[in-house]
Amino acid sequence: MSSAPDFSKIPVAILCGGKGTRLKEETEFRPKPMVMVGDRPMIWHIMKTYAHYGFQNFMLCLGYKGQMIREYFFNYDWNHNDVLLELGEKKVTKLNNGHEENWKVWMVDTGQETMTGGRLKRLASYIDKMDSDILLGTYGDGVCNVDIAKLLDYHYSHGKLATMTTVRPASRFGELVIEDNLVTYFQEKPQTSTGWINGGYFVLHRKVLDLIQGDDTVFEAEPLKTLAALGELAVYKHDGFWQCMDTYRELELLNKLHHSGKAPWQVWK
């Protein structure tokens, strides 16, 4: 019987380079993964979810305003610990352990205009340095409460090259049932009963990167289509919470959930 994989050695790639034009109220000033949900940026919430299951190696595909993500993590200890700063000697001493994150954060410039597949491809040389045949990957603008340990178990069980987490997002509109010109049933923004969509939270064998031609490759186009045609793209259906942050209204929803103290994605609490 093979031993359980060491999650801390499996890289997690997060796509952070897009311009997020549909959320221009925020992304005019910062990259989308740095938009705040509560008192922490979206990227932190995503990483914290993975870390809850033991993942520690995060490869951030930087692009648009990537320097802001660099600065956030370069200053992470400074901003989340009590410190003693000795001005004359320019010496900084950490006084406590103000956070529990023991993450390795690979910040990789993947270009300003590079497509999603191209961004993943640019990680290849770094992934090759790690003792893992697989990588996990997701987008920098969506949170969910998928059990990542079960997702990984499922991936190993079917032996395919890739697993995509699929979700059924809440409808943007209320659902009506009408009989004889009377509303007989109403539900405000229910989860759609059909129409599974790509929710991110992928598990990919290293070989998947070989299907990506270069910077202009959209991961959701030819690579995923090729995997599907080969019968190598499995789906993991997640019926639980999932929410992207494409619009300001969706950002407001995430903040409302956070401030309620019952945010479904915050599995670490």
Side-chain angles (χ1 to χ4, degrees):
M1 179 180 295
S2 60
S3 59
D6 183 351
F7 289 177
S8 68
K9 294 182 179 180
I10 299 175
V12 179
I14 305 179
L15 294 165
C16 301
K19 295 180 180 179
T21 53
R22 284 182 287 182
L23 190 59
K24 196 171 183 180
E25 301 94 332
E26 292 284 340
T27 56
E28 182 178 355
F29 308 103
R30 57 187 60 85
K32 203 174 183 184
M34 287 302 297
V35 173
M36 302 298 284
V37 177
D39 60 352
R40 300 292 179 96
M42 170 60 89
I43 185 69
W44 180 89
H45 290 266
I46 296 168
M47 294 166 72
K48 192 75 172 175
T49 300
Y50 279 100
H52 173 73
Y53 295 95
F55 297 92
Q56 296 179 6
N57 271 279
F58 298 96
M59 294 187 169
L60 309 187
C61 303
L62 305 183
Y64 174 71
K65 295 187 183 295
Q67 74 278 4
M68 296 184 69
I69 298 176
R70 291 179 184 271
E71 289 167 4
Y72 176 74
F73 287 107
F74 275 129
N75 294 315
Y76 197 87
D77 276 336
W78 174 265
N79 289 326
H80 296 289
N81 289 298
D82 293 339
V83 296
L84 166 64
L85 173 61
E86 299 176 57
L87 295 178
E89 298 183 11
K90 296 183 174 60
K91 180 181 178 183
V92 178
T93 304
K94 186 166 69 172
L95 299 176
N96 69 345
N97 291 318
H99 66 81
E100 62 183 10
E101 287 73 57
N102 186 28
W103 301 341
K104 295 179 180 178
V105 186
W106 306 59
M107 290 175 280
V108 183
D109 181 2
T110 57
Q112 291 291 313
E113 305 297 333
T114 308
M115 298 293 101
T116 49
R119 294 190 189 282
L120 291 174
K121 183 76 169 183
R122 290 210 191 184
L123 299 180
S125 62
Y126 300 111
I127 292 170
D128 289 343
K129 297 178 185 296
M130 302 191 65
D131 185 22
S132 178
D133 289 333
I134 65 167
L135 66 145
L136 278 66
T138 195
Y139 305 100
D141 62 354
V143 288
C144 74
N145 62 351
V146 62
D147 187 319
I148 298 174
K150 289 183 178 179
L151 166 64
L152 202 55
D153 284 345
Y154 174 72
H155 176 79
Y156 284 121
S157 73
H158 60 60
K160 305 299 183 182
L161 289 178
T163 302
M164 171 198 293
T165 298
T166 57
V167 298
R168 295 185 298 172
S171 171
R172 293 180 183 270
F173 306 99
E175 181 178 278
L176 302 177
V177 176
I178 300 173
E179 295 179 6
D180 298 326
N181 292 324
L182 292 174
V183 175
T184 60
Y185 177 82
F186 174 80
Q187 182 176 351
E188 176 64 15
K189 296 185 179 177
Q191 188 179 55
T192 57
S193 58
T194 59
W196 293 90
I197 68 168
N198 170 15
Y201 292 84
F202 295 93
V203 185
L204 307 173
H205 192 280
R206 168 62 180 81
K207 293 177 181 178
V208 171
L209 299 184
D210 296 334
L211 300 176
I212 300 171
Q213 297 302 311
D215 285 356
D216 294 333
T217 303
V218 177
F219 183 64
E220 299 77 12
E222 290 308 315
L224 287 187
K225 289 179 181 178
T226 299
L227 287 167
L230 294 172
E232 291 289 343
L233 179 58
V235 297
Y236 184 82
K237 291 182 177 180
H238 175 58
D239 258 324
F241 177 85
W242 175 89
Q243 181 62 57
C244 63
M245 187 182 65
D246 276 341
T247 66
Y248 194 77
R249 189 173 184 177
E250 290 167 341
L251 171 60
E252 287 182 318
L253 170 62
L254 289 170
N255 271 296
K256 182 179 180 180
L257 289 170
H258 170 79
H259 291 303
S260 75
K262 299 177 181 178
W265 71 89
Q266 294 178 1
V267 293
W268 59 88
K269 289 188 174 181

